[in-house]
Amino acid sequence: MISWSLCLIFSLFNSLLTFASPAKQLCRSDQKNALLEFKSEFHFNGMAANEKTQRWTNTTDCCSWDGISCDIKTGNVVELNLWGSSLNGSLRSNSSLFRLQHLQSLNLSSNNLAGILPDSIGNFKYLKVLKLYGCSFFGNIPSSLGNLSYLTHLDLDGNDFTGELPESLSNLHQLTNLLLASSKLTGNFHHALLNLSELTAIDFSSNQFEGMLPSNMSSFSKLEYFDMSVNSFSGPIPSSLFMIPSLTRLNLEKNIFSGPVEIGNISSPSKLQELSLGGNNLSGPIPGSISKLVGLSYLDLSFWDTVSNVSTNTNRFVLLKHFCQSIPRARTSEWLWTLPGLGYLDISQNSFSGFEGTSDVIQRSPIEMLDISSNSFQGNIPTKICELVALETLVLTNNNFSGSIPRCFENFNTTLSVLHLRNNSLSGNIPEEVFSASLISLDVGRNKLSGELPKSLINCTKLEFLNVEDNEVSDTFPFWLRMLPNLQIIVLRSNRFHGPIFSPGDSLSFPKLRIFDISENLLPLDYFAGWSTMSSVVYIAYDKLHRFIGFTFSNYHKSVVLANKGSKMELLGSSFRIYKTIDVSGNRLEGDIPQSIGLLKELIVLNMTNNAFTGHIPPSLSNLTNLQSLDLSQNRLSGTIPPELEKLTFLAWMNFSNNMLEGPIPQGTQIQSQNSSSFVHNPGLCGAPLKRSCGEGKEEERKQDEEKEEKDQVSSWIAAAIAYAPGVFCGFVIGHILSSYRHDWFLRIFRTFA
């Protein structure tokens, strides 16, 4: 009992000593000093919150610092991850970084380390992971990397490396990921790399490699991802690539591979999901053995020279762009509709002119996206399309379809999200019943459609994009569109819309509107209050990485032609994310330009030309600090050009011509850089860039006043002279008469007194 008591007391005493003593730091002092010195080698840009090193201090355990991991037994730093930490400066060959000799993982990606990657990088003999993508390194890849015998992951993507690959990389026998995309590397694919049998991912895309790929690519027995796209590789595509049982993605697009494609004998079920061979010089028939690639979900065979039948397989996506340009008046083969796993079919930019396939076959097709744009289709839109009951995206643009929009499109009233019929010869009214409640994007522009805009669109609460430009639609302005909460783009140009653009008592409030084009109609105007998206900054998040992240149709084939800087421009795809414009040109708009235009602070293009606006240019335009193009020409505006517009430093193009403006042109750099044609036909405007100086006008006016005064004086003298001559004459006659009378009077008096 006494012994147990003594043991308990001893244990408690030990615990008290432990808690009372200062906490022991895990990090070794030499490791801490090396890290602090490494931090001091760089300067930092950006917000401090993005800098992992901001909490690195000498008073704390370096193993607890952001981006640091230590070996719990030795206290050595084994991982340094400063990805995206705003490091600015070159990585020196004598950097204190290289004193961390026990590093197993190093990630300095997405920093500005512009300079040569030093040979010292090969001194980390325990390194397993090296990530230096997006660091702006240039020069040759150091051969010392071949010393990193434990390396499994090497990522040097997105730099400016030049020259050939060092053959020493073939020494990295444990390497599983070799990522060297988006640089300026040259030379051939080294045969020595075939010794790296552990590789699962190889990405050399977007470089300047050339020559032929080795024929025995099946040596990469564990390869899952192989991307050689956007280079200058030539010769045949090695059939051995298709023999790799683990391969799931193969991308060889945009090279100069030639000849037929041989799939070879595949003994086990292929795992290949994505095959991209487009943009090469491949020829000959599509090999029927493609049907053995039973797991395919994406197939790109664009720019192939000829077409032949392909036996049934389970393709999910077929992309045949430019596929049949050498075959005029081709027809889509029935085999396309029989592919049991086909989800996305793109046969755009060819010479197809018709469909093959019975309604029964097409009805069984699981196609969700059909793009037959830019072909030679003509006549009525085939009603067979309406049998594709799973269809979500339908793109028929740039053909010569005529007749009316098929009413059978109502079959898609629960599925269709994209309907693009742009640039055909369709006529008649737009049917009320064709719009799906799921509709996100509708483009029927550049046809011959007439009648009114269907009010059934008000049920399309997901609608973001609406384009009916260049038709013959005759209707009052559809102010009810403001009820669509997600509408971002409205293009109604070149129709016959008329009447007010607002409902009495309600504002024209479009909370998400970015593009508003009602030009070349017959519309008056009210105001712009309530357009909140144009009034505030919208931050767009996007993935800068070039890696494949899956196929998306979120911006599929959106296209708008807008007036910008005095000329027409076409917006496509991602341009819509940031572009904000108002075009009300060519209408009958009159009265003052609303002061509320100044609320739209994110506006980039404002076009109000060819209307009947009067009054002064509102100084509130100076609030549009992102404005790049402003056109107020061909109106009846008066007064001066507001000097506040000098603040618009992004304003690259402006036009104030053909108004009644007066006074000096503001002297801001952006305004003075304009051509004089931007200010002509304003009788009262003066100053550069016009030749007429403002002082010249006043001097001319003063001279005109002096000349008028002189003329008035001359006129007065002439009038006086004219009046004086008769007066003298009359005076002389009267004087003579009086003199004669007086002489007779004196004579009579003299005679009387005599």
Side-chain angles (χ1 to χ4, degrees):
M1 193 69 181
I2 294 172
S3 299
W4 279 109
S5 299
L6 288 172
C7 286
L8 179 61
I9 292 169
F10 183 74
S11 298
L12 289 171
F13 183 72
N14 253 353
S15 300
L16 288 171
L17 286 177
T18 301
F19 283 112
S21 61
K24 183 180 179 181
Q25 293 196 2
L26 175 62
C27 182
R28 288 171 39 181
S29 58
D30 64 316
Q31 304 280 281
K32 177 187 287 188
N33 292 337
L35 288 168
L36 290 174
E37 288 180 34
F38 178 65
K39 175 184 176 180
S40 68
E41 294 172 10
F42 301 93
H43 61 276
F44 298 86
N45 288 340
M47 297 174 61
N50 295 329
E51 299 168 11
K52 293 181 179 180
T53 60
Q54 64 174 328
R55 288 186 290 274
W56 288 15
T57 63
N58 202 26
T59 58
T60 55
D61 187 350
C62 76
C63 293
S64 67
W65 291 350
D66 289 346
I68 305 296
S69 295
C70 296
D71 186 313
I72 58 174
K73 293 182 179 179
T74 64
N76 290 318
V77 175
V78 293
E79 180 179 0
L80 175 59
N81 183 354
L82 294 181
W83 173 87
S85 295
S86 303
L87 301 180
N88 284 271
S90 59
L91 182 61
R92 303 195 301 261
S93 59
N94 61 348
S95 171
S96 56
L97 172 69
F98 300 115
R99 303 211 306 261
L100 303 174
Q101 283 294 300
H102 295 273
L103 274 181
Q104 297 177 25
S105 178
L106 175 61
N107 187 351
L108 301 178
S109 302
S110 298
N111 287 290
N112 184 19
L113 306 180
I116 305 295
L117 180 60
D119 286 332
S120 314
I121 199 72
N123 296 336
F124 292 120
K125 58 182 179 180
Y126 299 109
L127 202 63
K128 297 179 180 179
V129 175
L130 178 59
K131 295 183 179 181
L132 300 175
Y133 62 82
C135 288
S136 302
F137 286 117
F138 53 80
N140 292 340
I141 294 176
S143 59
S144 61
L145 287 176
N147 301 333
L148 306 178
S149 57
Y150 290 103
L151 202 64
T152 62
H153 189 108
L154 177 60
D155 189 347
L156 304 180
D157 284 357
N159 286 284
D160 291 313
F161 289 117
T162 54
E164 299 187 9
L165 286 183
E167 288 198 33
S168 61
L169 293 183
S170 60
N171 299 330
L172 306 179
H173 295 290
Q174 297 192 41
L175 201 63
T176 60
N177 290 269
L178 179 58
L179 309 176
L180 305 174
S182 301
S183 280
K184 300 173 182 175
L185 296 168
T186 57
N188 298 333
F189 188 98
H190 290 315
H191 283 68
L193 294 177
L194 295 172
N195 297 326
L196 305 181
S197 58
E198 297 297 315
L199 278 172
T200 61
I202 304 176
D203 189 349
F204 290 1
S205 63
S206 299
N207 277 284
Q208 300 169 19
F209 289 109
E210 58 187 1
M212 297 171 60
L213 291 179
S215 59
N216 55 335
M217 300 294 287
S218 55
S219 298
F220 293 124
S221 59
K222 297 182 180 179
L223 197 63
E224 299 174 7
Y225 173 98
F226 189 68
D227 192 341
M228 296 289 120
S229 61
V230 196
N231 279 285
S232 297
F233 288 112
S234 58
I237 294 175
S239 60
S240 57
L241 274 172
F242 301 99
M243 308 292 288
I244 302 173
S246 55
L247 196 64
T248 60
R249 185 194 175 197
L250 174 59
N251 190 350
L252 304 177
E253 67 182 9
K254 297 181 181 178
N255 281 279
I256 48 177
F257 289 112
S258 58
V261 174
E262 298 291 337
I263 300 296
N265 295 320
I266 301 175
S267 55
S268 58
S270 171
K271 294 183 179 179
L272 198 62
Q273 299 174 13
E274 300 157 19
L275 175 59
S276 300
L277 304 179
N280 283 286
N281 294 329
L282 300 172
S283 59
I286 302 175
S289 51
I290 279 185
S291 60
K292 297 179 182 179
L293 306 177
V294 294
L296 273 184
S297 61
Y298 180 96
L299 173 62
D300 181 354
L301 304 177
S302 58
F303 292 91
W304 204 294
D305 278 355
T306 62
V307 178
S308 68
N309 289 335
V310 180
S311 57
T312 299
N313 57 43
T314 56
N315 295 349
R316 178 73 177 153
F317 183 99
V318 178
L319 179 64
L320 303 176
K321 281 190 176 180
H322 296 281
F323 197 73
C324 304
Q325 286 189 335
S326 61
I327 303 181
R329 316 296 294 175
R331 298 179 69 84
T332 61
S333 300
E334 186 165 358
W335 64 265
L336 283 172
W337 313 110
T338 62
L339 302 177
L342 184 64
Y344 309 111
L345 175 61
D346 183 344
I347 55 173
S348 62
Q349 301 179 57
N350 287 290
S351 299
F352 288 118
S353 62
F355 286 92
E356 286 183 1
T358 64
S359 294
D360 291 342
V361 172
I362 294 176
Q363 191 173 26
R364 291 194 296 269
S365 175
I367 287 178
E368 297 172 12
M369 191 285 289
L370 175 62
D371 183 354
I372 62 172
S373 61
S374 301
N375 277 284
S376 300
F377 291 102
Q378 56 186 335
N380 293 335
I381 295 175
T383 55
K384 291 179 182 179
I385 290 176
C386 300
E387 304 295 333
L388 299 170
V389 293
L391 204 61
E392 296 178 2
T393 297
L394 177 59
V395 183
L396 310 180
T397 59
N398 301 326
N399 282 285
N400 195 29
F401 286 118
S402 57
S404 59
I405 297 174
R407 294 183 182 273
C408 65
F409 279 5
E410 66 181 337
N411 292 357
F412 312 130
N413 61 7
T414 59
T415 60
L416 202 64
S417 59
V418 175
L419 177 59
H420 288 185
L421 309 176
R422 177 185 184 81
N423 202 20
N424 283 282
S425 298
L426 298 171
S427 59
N429 293 353
I430 305 173
E432 288 273 356
E433 59 268 28
V434 302
F435 300 119
S436 162
S438 302
L439 200 62
I440 295 174
S441 182
L442 174 64
D443 190 347
V444 294
R446 298 191 179 181
N447 281 284
K448 301 174 182 178
L449 298 170
S450 56
E452 298 182 351
L453 194 65
K455 288 187 173 58
S456 57
L457 276 172
I458 202 169
N459 300 319
C460 303
T461 55
K462 297 180 181 180
L463 193 66
E464 299 176 3
F465 179 89
L466 174 62
N467 189 351
V468 297
E469 67 179 333
D470 289 319
N471 277 286
E472 299 170 8
V473 177
S474 180
D475 196 359
T476 55
F477 179 79
F479 60 85
W480 44 268
L481 288 174
R482 66 184 178 84
M483 304 297 292
L484 300 178
N486 295 298
L487 195 57
Q488 301 175 31
I489 298 164
I490 302 175
V491 182
L492 307 180
R493 87 158 45 223
S494 299
N495 280 282
R496 297 172 185 169
F497 288 101
H498 54 274
I501 63 172
F502 64 97
S503 176
D506 292 326
S507 66
L508 185 66
S509 176
F510 291 97
K512 292 190 177 180
L513 198 64
R514 291 202 305 268
I515 295 178
F516 183 64
D517 186 348
I518 59 172
S519 60
E520 299 175 36
N521 280 284
L522 307 170
L523 294 165
L525 183 68
D526 188 41
Y527 50 87
F528 304 101
W531 297 18
S532 55
T533 295
M534 287 196 189
S535 305
S536 58
V537 177
V538 177
Y539 292 98
I540 302 297
Y542 58 94
D543 192 341
K544 291 184 178 179
L545 299 181
H546 63 275
R547 295 177 177 79
F548 183 82
I549 56 175
F551 198 85
T552 177
F553 298 98
S554 59
N555 285 307
Y556 198 79
H557 276 267
K558 288 179 184 173
S559 174
V560 172
V561 176
L562 296 173
N564 180 27
K565 301 180 182 178
S567 58
K568 295 290 180 69
M569 63 173 289
E570 185 173 18
L571 295 183
L572 293 169
S574 60
S575 303
F576 293 106
R577 294 180 178 178
I578 58 173
Y579 210 83
K580 298 175 183 178
T581 180
I582 292 176
D583 189 341
V584 295
S585 61
N587 281 285
R588 297 177 178 178
L589 310 181
E590 56 187 20
D592 292 348
I593 295 175
Q595 286 284 346
S596 54
I597 194 72
L599 298 174
L600 311 183
K601 296 179 181 178
E602 296 303 304
L603 200 61
I604 292 176
V605 174
L606 177 59
N607 187 358
M608 293 182 155
T609 185
N610 195 16
N611 281 286
F613 285 115
T614 55
H616 293 187
I617 298 173
S620 62
L621 281 174
S622 63
N623 296 330
L624 310 182
T625 52
N626 290 308
L627 200 63
Q628 298 176 15
S629 177
L630 172 64
D631 195 343
L632 303 179
S633 63
Q634 299 184 61
N635 282 285
R636 301 172 188 171
L637 298 169
S638 58
T640 61
I641 298 175
E644 292 90 344
L645 298 188
E646 294 178 5
K647 296 189 298 185
L648 301 180
T649 55
F650 288 112
L651 192 56
W653 188 89
M654 63 196 78
N655 193 348
F656 300 100
S657 64
N658 293 282
N659 280 286
M660 295 182 287
L661 299 170
E662 59 186 10
I665 297 172
Q667 297 300 300
T669 304
Q670 296 298 102
I671 297 178
Q672 290 299 305
S673 66
Q674 302 299 305
N675 191 284
S676 60
S677 60
S678 295
F679 304 95
V680 296
H681 304 301
N682 286 282
L685 274 185
C686 59
L690 293 176
K691 295 181 179 179
R692 181 187 179 194
S693 69
C694 295
E696 246 176 42
K698 290 181 180 178
E699 181 65 23
E700 186 178 338
E701 189 177 335
R702 186 184 63 78
K703 288 180 178 179
Q704 288 177 352
D705 289 344
E706 287 180 355
E707 289 176 1
K708 185 175 181 297
E709 187 178 348
E710 288 177 1
K711 288 178 179 177
D712 289 346
Q713 289 178 352
V714 170
S715 297
S716 297
W717 281 107
I718 292 172
I722 291 172
Y724 177 73
V728 170
F729 178 76
C730 291
F732 179 79
V733 171
I734 294 170
H736 178 72
I737 294 170
L738 289 175
S739 297
S740 301
Y741 177 77
R742 187 173 52 189
H743 179 267
D744 290 343
W745 183 73
F746 276 112
L747 185 60
R748 289 193 192 104
I749 295 291
F750 178 77
R751 286 177 177 174
T752 301
F753 285 97

